[in-house]
Amino acid sequence: MPTVNVDQEYLFKALGRKYSTDEFRELCFEFGIELEEDTSELAMAIEQIGEAAARAQGLSDKPLYKIDIPANRYDLLSPEGIARSLKIFLGQGKPPTYTVRKPKGGKLQQIIVKKETAQIRPHVVGAILRDVTFTPEMYDSFITLQDKLHNNICRKRTLVAIGTHDLDTIQGPFTYEALPPSQINFQALNQPKAMPCPELFEHYRTKDKHIGKFLHIIENSHVYPIILDAKRVVCSLPPIINGDHSKITLKTKNVFIECTATDLTKAKVVLNTMVATYSQYSATPFTVEPVEVVYPNGKKYTYPDVAPRRMEASIDYITSAIGVKLTPAEVVHHLERMSLGATLTKDQKTVLVDVPITRSDILHACDIMEDVAIAYGFNKIPKTLPAVNTVGKPFPINKLSDQIRRELALAGFSEVLPLTLCSHDENFAHLRQPDNGLAVELANPKTVEYQVVRTSLIPGVLKTLRENKSRPLPLQTQERRARNERRVCIAYANKKSAFEIIHGMLGRVMAMLNVPTTQYAIRESKNESFFPGRRAEIVYNGNVIGHFGIVHPEVLGHFELALPVTLLEMNLEPFL
Amino acid sequence: MAAAAVPVSTDDLAQLVLNTIDRDGAIASSADLRFQGQPVENQALHGALSSLERREMITYETIEFDKWVLTAEGADIEANGSHEAKVFNAVPADGLAIGDLAKKVGAESAKIGQGKAFKNKWIGKGKNGQLVRLVASIRDVTQEDLATIKKTHAHPDAKVLAELKKRKLCDKEKVTHYRVAKGPHFSTVIVKQATDLTVDMLLSGSWQNLDFKKYNFDALGQEPSGGHLHPLMKVREEFRQIFFEMGFEEMPTNRYVESSFWNFDALFQPQQHPARDMHDTFFLKNPATSNRFPKACMEQVKQVHSTGGFGSIGYGYDWKEEEAEKLLLRTHTTAVSSNMLYKLAHQEGGFTPAKYFSIDRVFRNETVDATHLAEFHQVEGVIADVGLTLGDLIGFINVFCQKMGVTNIRFKPAYNPYTEPSMEIFSYHQGLGKWVEIGNSGMFRPEMLGPLGLPDNVRVIAWGLSLERPTMIKYGIDNIRELLGHKCDLEMIQKNPICRLDKKMGREN
């Protein structure tokens, strides 16, 4: 879940009142965001690096709310977005109407897409914010939101990357090209000088991990995407870095936003989120100047598309799915509190919703229904019980294994629960068994010893015995289930081996399963996990269904056990 | 040290005590007791006294005091004089070269005694630097004090004791003696008492005349042998019970490996969703893929993700079959629920209302710590019927929570790719004084149910929680690794009580 830091004073000003921590937490709870912490920059730093170091950095102790945002609400990733949505939720305002305003003379800025980009990052969209006044706070928010978008919807810049530029330093039409790295040489953002691309990448790889972690997205391509202005000034090398030349400063007035992407839908959402959040700072708030994207085949598209998306939902569906009685007017009222423009059809049976560009999360009428439920209040919905009659039933193998585990406990064997994941060696070599190809292997474990899904219960049981060396003897344990096969494993560890005890337990299990001795046989085996001459296999209906015996001393050694262990492992499935 | 005590049987000691009391009326201090002329061993005596007291033949009380004894060094000084006295005595009237002192009194006495003798102004330095006597004679107070302690095991001056203890010349021991008096059933004859009722006593009827030994109710009973069930499984059984009480059928969750299709795609979880990252999910190396999922269903899933359908605009991205084929260890049991709902839709005779539950293991590619394991158990419930409401889900969870002893709950709007509405379940935690999340719930999205083949008017409500969390809370366990996995202590399994979700167990944290 993304977290957004919001200045308390800013928020209180927007909401027109002060909140105590508890009051604000309640408001968040109701709306569906979460107040994670009431803190400050200084307090957060103290937590991380300690009091002295934090104070030395001269951080602000202005109160901050750290707020958790649902992963699909990109419109809430900025203080501006949170403040606006809460204000509307509290009934103190209406959602803004966004307007596209063409420049004087009507000639749009263009981004001309070259066909080579199709090989690496085929899409680009853009927009221009005019006559913006930056304040330090807004500048921070502007940079932070791009970061949050990059980390969330943009999937660490793989799907979309945002570039923002001081339009007055560059000149359109812009071109979106894909060039071999050898032809790229420019001064990247915050670099002291122009550098050839390979040198720049080497710098990021070794000295700047924050940017270095994005190199993989394009570095194996023979061409890199690049946005150039009419004079071939490099605006950006997406998704890595912008050019220093066109960087945004507090003095910037006109902002050119471009988003390059492999996923066009998401690029539009990202662009719209930037426009929706910052167009309020334009001289004419909530207006945006469009940009024309020209594809190699001559097709032209104009961005951003700020027109609301029309959706509909029947009032009956909304109220019946929630389980409340609401008038159509109440439905409209609730939707408006969720920043959704809503009107009713003439027959009052359907609500027409104009989904603003901020609400890309709304895909279906069920999303509209949910917003009504949130605004109504989940906790005010009358509690009912489903009127459905069904018959309860256990899953048969679970029932059988539960019955067996109780029998084993009655017989003195305590239940243990080792992990399913183990190392390849534990599953095979440590048991003196060859890899029979039956174990499922993991591709990407974070913990090195998790290599396979066990095919035997024995390693886990032996590891549990190992961790319990200091317990009084004997240790008697049981476990069930490996692979997709329900098994049972029982182990006895004491100062001397106990073949007869485990043999006796087999008899007990079979007696409890109501299997007469005539129906199963025990014969000496050559199972390498066990001690020669003291190892047996269990044959039932002509199939070997399990093994038991004294654990081979080498196996004990692999599991660092100094005690003789006698154990049994058998399959329960044939008895289902 | 006291003289060595002779080993004597408890019976003999008891008889000695009774005889002594009979003769003297009482025993003022057991220090004076003698068995065949030897002091008696204290622990054995205590055993005899307790036994007599249980029979109410005597009463006794404990007298404790400090006994001062000499250390080995102290004993040496008491016998041979203090270091400083030795030094003084070693210096003849005409003086002694410093270098020769150690030869005469030994290195240790020379080192310690010289300074002290100087300090006492017993000796000094002569003209030629040699040691000379400054007084004609001395009184060795240390030796005298130690002699007093040796004789009386005490000293009238507490300061002296403290000083000598500091010098490690003497130390105190705790000594216990007993004062004994007659009890209500005093007699010098000990009648033999029976401890257990035996078959012989029953046969002979002798139990009627026997004197039975008083049972020591303060002692611990004998620990039974037997096996023990794991606390996590005890909690699982409670949850299963609740589900059965409410008419739920258990889902077949006996398969850990799933395709991304059932784990994600069928749940309308987009292919770029962070949960599908290598960082969060265990993908398989071998076997790596499987396309064993129904193709017609897959086509609908593909469509609803990429271009929409079933009333949805979809996510608008290029859905890839290869992604859906990737095998993984299921990240949630909902992978099984989606499969079950597909079967429910396609069963002979079509859809019928259903209630399903599962409690089973799921896997996350987590870095292991005190609250995270790469595998844990999920509890999940699913209800499918025509016309279910959010109120039904809220009401149902409320009843379910009451059955598990959680009475104060409320719901917070949340986001989950496959449920809408999505609600986090919070309960008020008295100890922490705040609302804590205990589970997740929601109504499955039409984009999920449509491709699975469920009729339009069927709604499916579901909720889930972890099994480990409530277990850790109920049993007061802080570290998940001590609960699940091979690091768990067999004693923990043995000692933990039955699970009573609806009662306070007294271990809750």
Side-chain angles (χ1 to χ4, degrees):
Chain A
M1 233 190 267
T3 307
V4 180
N5 297 331
V6 185
D7 183 86
Q8 236 180 58
E9 199 186 322
Y10 167 83
L11 197 62
F12 291 169
K13 209 173 144 200
L15 301 181
R17 59 162 280 199
K18 286 189 172 162
Y19 283 82
S20 73
T21 307
D22 281 343
E23 282 171 339
F24 189 68
R25 180 172 284 123
E26 286 303 300
L27 175 63
C28 288
F29 191 97
E30 214 186 316
F31 182 63
I33 57 182
E34 196 169 337
L35 176 59
E36 172 83 18
E37 226 182 322
D38 184 351
T39 178
S40 69
E41 275 178 25
L42 181 65
M44 285 191 286
I46 288 174
E47 221 166 86
Q48 281 189 345
I49 55 174
E51 175 101 33
R55 292 212 182 270
Q57 291 190 0
L59 295 168
S60 159
D61 58 358
K62 271 186 86 176
L64 274 188
Y65 283 143
K66 229 169 125 178
I67 302 173
D68 278 349
I69 302 299
N72 65 340
R73 289 296 300 269
Y74 315 115
D75 61 314
L76 301 179
L77 284 174
S78 59
E80 286 87 351
I82 292 176
R84 195 186 297 156
S85 295
L86 285 178
K87 199 174 159 181
I88 297 167
F89 183 64
L90 291 167
Q92 295 174 9
K94 292 239 176 275
T97 307
Y98 299 96
T99 320
V100 170
R101 181 186 282 188
K102 289 190 178 173
K104 281 175 208 143
K107 191 167 162 35
L108 299 186
Q109 286 286 1
Q110 285 184 321
I111 305 176
I112 295 153
V113 181
K114 295 290 165 74
K115 71 172 192 300
E116 294 77 19
T117 56
Q119 302 168 56
I120 174 79
R121 206 170 175 84
H123 307 291
V124 64
V125 297
I128 292 164
L129 298 177
R130 287 284 177 188
D131 288 322
V132 173
T133 309
F134 273 97
T135 61
E137 293 77 23
M138 179 210 161
Y139 182 83
D140 278 351
S141 160
F142 189 76
I143 301 298
T144 311
L145 176 63
Q146 292 178 56
D147 237 25
K148 304 252 182 230
L149 289 168
H150 278 152
N151 276 326
N152 291 284
I153 180 173
C154 305
R155 303 295 302 124
K156 305 207 164 84
R157 304 191 189 177
T158 53
L159 302 181
V160 188
I162 312 160
T164 52
H165 311 277
D166 186 335
L167 184 60
D168 297 326
T169 64
I170 43 181
Q171 195 181 324
F174 302 96
T175 53
Y176 178 41
E177 308 182 16
L179 299 177
S182 57
Q183 292 178 26
I184 301 171
N185 186 337
F186 73 110
Q187 186 180 353
L189 187 63
N190 299 332
Q191 290 300 317
K193 60 175 175 37
M195 264 189 258
C197 194
E199 190 186 320
L200 183 66
F201 272 36
E202 196 47 37
H203 168 79
Y204 289 139
R205 194 184 341 273
T206 53
K207 302 215 174 79
D208 191 343
K209 292 275 157 31
H210 289 298
I211 294 185
K213 67 186 176 200
F214 301 114
L215 298 179
H216 74 96
I217 305 171
I218 58 167
E219 71 182 335
N220 293 325
S221 166
H222 64 285
V223 287
Y224 292 174
I226 188 164
I227 289 184
L228 300 151
D229 85 340
K231 294 178 179 166
R232 311 241 4 117
V233 170
V234 176
C235 302
S236 61
L237 180 70
I240 312 300
I241 191 80
N242 291 342
D244 197 67
H245 180 87
S246 57
K247 76 174 167 205
I248 303 273
T249 66
L250 285 171
K251 294 194 187 103
T252 298
K253 281 291 168 203
N254 297 302
V255 180
F256 170 47
I257 306 169
E258 38 87 3
C259 302
T260 56
T262 54
D263 181 321
L264 182 61
T265 311
K266 292 204 167 53
K268 291 186 207 167
V269 171
V270 169
L271 182 68
N272 281 348
T273 305
M274 290 296 290
V275 167
T277 311
Y278 298 109
S279 58
Q280 63 174 308
Y281 296 108
S282 280
T284 318
F286 306 114
T287 59
V288 56
E289 181 182 312
V291 168
E292 189 171 66
V293 175
V294 185
Y295 278 91
N297 60 7
K299 282 200 172 151
K300 291 178 180 175
Y301 301 87
T302 306
Y303 298 105
D305 179 4
V306 296
R309 182 159 47 88
R310 173 59 66 90
M311 290 194 73
E312 53 184 66
S314 90
I315 300 287
D316 180 55
Y317 162 71
I318 292 172
T319 54
S320 76
I322 300 171
V324 286
K325 289 195 172 65
L326 292 174
T327 63
E330 283 170 325
V331 169
V332 167
H333 169 71
H334 289 314
L335 287 172
E336 281 171 346
R337 286 183 57 209
M338 301 304 286
S339 305
L340 297 176
T343 47
L344 293 166
T345 51
K346 267 195 190 139
D347 61 7
Q348 303 257 314
K349 285 190 171 158
T350 304
V351 61
L352 302 171
V353 179
D354 287 323
V355 182
I357 54 171
T358 45
R359 296 298 307 276
S360 61
D361 59 296
I362 296 200
L363 309 176
H364 189 280
C366 70
D367 298 299
I368 294 167
M369 177 265 286
E370 180 186 60
D371 271 16
V372 174
I374 293 172
Y376 179 81
F378 282 175
N379 297 297
K380 291 187 201 137
I381 297 171
K383 297 179 181 75
T384 49
L385 280 179
V388 46
N389 261 322
T390 51
V391 178
K393 190 164 92 179
F395 184 49
I397 192 70
N398 285 359
K399 180 165 182 171
L400 178 67
S401 62
D402 276 354
Q403 287 170 323
I404 290 298
R405 51 188 275 273
R406 275 182 219 114
E407 287 298 333
L408 294 175
L410 291 176
F413 287 78
S414 284
E415 181 175 38
V416 296
L417 290 175
L419 302 177
T420 313
L421 306 178
C422 61
S423 76
H424 185 277
D425 274 355
E426 282 167 349
N427 199 62
F428 295 113
H430 287 184
L431 297 178
R432 291 167 41 98
Q433 297 289 345
D435 184 343
N436 56 8
L438 287 181
V440 161
E441 286 176 61
L442 302 182
N444 59 328
K446 265 186 207 158
T447 307
V448 283
E449 68 255 37
Y450 298 159
Q451 294 166 335
V452 298
V453 180
R454 66 185 180 189
T455 58
S456 165
L457 301 174
I458 299 175
V461 168
L462 291 180
K463 284 198 288 186
T464 308
L465 292 175
R466 179 185 74 203
E467 299 295 326
N468 279 281
K469 273 176 190 159
S470 58
R471 291 276 143 244
L473 296 174
L475 303 174
Q476 307 190 145
T477 59
Q478 55 149 318
E479 226 267 284
R480 295 154 320 283
R481 159 188 284 222
R483 306 177 54 222
N484 292 339
E485 196 171 85
R486 198 63 52 93
R487 294 191 195 171
V488 57
C489 179
I490 53 179
Y492 180 95
N494 206 345
K495 289 193 171 152
K496 105 188 186 356
S497 64
F499 195 82
E500 324 73 49
I501 290 178
I502 292 300
H503 189 174
M505 278 307 296
L506 171 66
R508 177 75 192 154
V509 170
M510 287 305 199
M512 289 303 100
L513 287 168
N514 201 23
V515 180
T517 47
T518 49
Q519 276 182 24
Y520 70 96
I522 297 160
R523 61 184 185 216
E524 189 173 349
S525 82
K526 293 207 156 33
N527 188 320
E528 290 293 329
S529 301
F530 298 98
F531 197 64
R534 290 287 185 284
R535 53 193 182 190
E537 55 194 22
I538 308 156
V539 186
Y540 175 69
N541 283 343
N543 299 315
V544 174
I545 59 156
H547 293 265
F548 70 101
I550 297 170
V551 177
H552 196 286
E554 274 178 30
V555 174
L556 294 176
H558 293 144
F559 288 95
E560 295 161 43
L561 279 163
L563 282 176
V565 176
T566 315
L567 67 74
L568 171 148
E569 182 177 33
M570 67 181 266
N571 189 356
L572 280 181
E573 307 267 348
F575 306 100
L576 195 57
Chain B
M1 293 296 290
V6 229
V8 193
S9 80
T10 311
D11 287 351
D12 287 343
L13 278 178
Q15 199 59 58
L16 171 70
V17 168
L18 295 176
N19 292 345
T20 310
I21 295 175
D22 192 42
R23 187 186 68 213
D24 303 343
I27 300 171
S29 166
S30 61
D32 304 326
L33 270 185
R34 289 291 179 276
F35 186 83
Q36 296 172 356
Q38 297 295 323
V40 298
E41 202 268 319
N42 232 359
Q43 207 173 342
L45 178 65
H46 182 247
L49 293 175
S50 313
S51 156
L52 291 173
E53 193 194 37
R54 277 202 298 277
R55 294 157 183 253
E56 299 182 344
M57 294 171 78
I58 60 150
T59 60
Y60 74 94
E61 55 192 302
T62 304
I63 323 163
E64 275 189 344
F65 57 91
D66 293 336
K67 175 179 168 186
W68 289 87
V69 292
L70 302 187
T71 61
E73 192 186 353
D76 179 58
I77 290 171
E78 195 272 333
N80 304 316
S82 63
H83 298 297
E84 56 271 26
K86 284 185 199 168
V87 168
F88 178 84
N89 292 332
V91 177
D94 55 348
L96 177 74
I98 290 181
D100 294 338
L101 181 64
K103 282 184 226 151
K104 292 187 80 166
V105 298
E108 199 193 353
S109 291
K111 196 171 132 220
I112 304 167
Q114 193 180 334
K116 194 108 180 157
F118 266 94
K119 202 173 146 208
N120 290 354
K121 297 203 161 66
W122 290 352
I123 59 169
K125 277 219 174 110
K127 293 194 284 285
N128 308 323
Q130 83 277 44
L131 299 172
V132 293
R133 285 189 179 190
L134 297 182
V135 291
S137 68
I138 56 159
R139 192 177 146 212
D140 192 349
V141 183
T142 308
Q143 188 182 28
E144 287 170 15
D145 288 337
L146 288 172
T148 309
I149 293 168
K150 187 186 174 187
K151 201 168 152 198
T152 64
H153 294 299
H155 194 282
D157 187 347
K159 272 191 218 148
V160 170
L161 287 171
E163 157 77 11
L164 293 175
K165 182 166 188 288
K166 208 169 131 199
R167 286 170 62 187
K168 296 200 170 71
L169 299 181
C170 68
D171 207 348
K172 65 178 170 189
E173 289 175 350
K174 276 251 179 283
V175 173
T176 307
H177 289 150
Y178 303 98
R179 186 179 299 130
V180 193
K182 281 184 184 168
H185 299 136
F186 180 81
S187 152
T188 53
V189 183
I190 303 170
V191 181
K192 233 184 165 25
Q193 285 181 308
T195 46
D196 284 300
L197 188 64
T198 67
V199 69
D200 293 338
M201 292 173 193
L202 292 178
L203 282 173
S204 66
S206 66
W207 61 271
Q208 296 176 79
N209 307 316
L210 281 170
D211 188 13
F212 277 83
K213 191 173 177 182
K214 229 176 150 187
Y215 188 78
N216 178 8
F217 292 100
D218 295 332
L220 291 177
Q222 193 181 320
E223 201 151 312
S225 62
H228 313 278
L229 296 175
H230 196 286
L232 193 69
M233 292 294 108
K234 294 182 196 172
V235 178
R236 168 183 166 272
E237 280 182 23
E238 287 304 295
F239 277 119
R240 276 168 71 79
Q241 201 53 47
I242 296 174
F243 279 116
F244 290 139
E245 284 165 16
M246 301 181 88
F248 280 73
E249 178 181 341
E250 193 172 24
M251 290 189 270
T253 46
N254 57 339
R255 190 171 68 183
Y256 296 150
V257 174
E258 279 290 353
S259 59
S260 293
F261 181 79
W262 287 118
N263 196 77
F264 294 128
D265 295 286
L267 298 176
F268 198 51
Q269 197 144 341
Q271 295 189 326
Q272 310 88 347
H273 193 274
R276 303 182 69 153
D277 249 27
M278 300 289 268
H279 296 294
D280 297 312
T281 301
F282 286 114
F283 287 96
L284 301 194
K285 183 161 75 182
N286 181 25
T289 59
S290 163
N291 59 2
R292 283 186 292 176
F293 35 84
K295 285 288 147 2
C297 175
M298 186 205 83
E299 285 304 329
Q300 299 221 301
V301 167
K302 176 179 181 169
Q303 195 203 331
V304 81
H305 277 247
S306 45
T307 58
F310 304 98
S312 174
I313 61 167
Y315 290 122
Y317 74 100
D318 187 11
W319 188 89
K320 293 194 177 73
E321 192 176 341
E322 306 91 85
E323 277 297 318
E325 287 176 358
K326 285 185 182 167
L327 286 175
L328 44 77
L329 295 181
R330 66 172 178 226
T331 61
H332 47 191
T333 45
T334 319
V336 180
S337 311
S338 63
N339 206 323
M340 285 299 282
L341 290 170
Y342 173 80
K343 286 184 183 144
L344 184 66
H346 290 86
Q347 72 188 358
E348 216 172 302
F351 171 84
T352 48
K355 289 186 197 162
Y356 295 133
F357 84 96
S358 65
I359 307 173
D360 214 333
R361 230 174 257 210
V362 296
F363 300 84
R364 302 276 167 90
N365 200 359
E366 301 254 22
T367 308
V368 173
D369 62 29
T371 51
H372 295 89
L373 277 182
E375 40 191 296
F376 59 96
H377 293 77
Q378 237 175 24
V379 180
E380 177 163 339
V382 176
I383 307 175
D385 196 6
V386 171
L388 291 173
T389 71
L390 197 57
D392 288 340
L393 178 59
I394 292 170
F396 198 88
I397 292 172
N398 214 44
V399 174
F400 190 90
C401 284
Q402 275 169 16
K403 279 178 175 280
M404 57 184 265
V406 177
T407 48
N408 200 359
I409 62 164
R410 61 177 189 166
F411 297 85
K412 173 179 162 294
Y415 167 65
N416 184 347
Y418 49 89
T419 52
E420 191 80 357
S422 306
M423 307 187 292
E424 281 169 357
I425 311 164
F426 278 71
S427 97
Y428 192 76
H429 191 294
Q430 287 292 350
L432 298 174
K434 65 172 186 182
W435 292 88
V436 293
E437 191 194 329
I438 58 166
N440 269 294
S441 63
M443 219 174 227
F444 283 143
R445 292 189 72 99
E447 293 99 321
M448 168 185 167
L449 301 181
L452 292 178
L454 289 160
D456 272 355
N457 55 358
V458 169
R459 297 199 191 111
V460 181
I461 54 181
W463 70 102
L465 40 128
S466 101
L467 182 63
E468 279 76 3
R469 187 106 172 263
T471 306
M472 289 166 77
I473 291 170
K474 284 309 270 186
Y475 285 91
I477 296 168
D478 298 324
N479 186 343
I480 191 169
R481 287 169 291 197
E482 288 165 14
L483 181 66
L484 184 63
H486 56 267
K487 294 216 164 104
C488 109
D489 187 346
L490 290 177
E491 191 183 9
M492 181 281 286
I493 297 172
Q494 181 189 350
K495 293 276 155 74
N496 271 319
I498 54 173
C499 170
R500 311 188 72 183
L501 287 180
D502 54 341
K503 294 262 189 314
K504 192 146 179 68
M505 283 169 50
R507 291 173 175 246
E508 288 88 347
N509 65 8

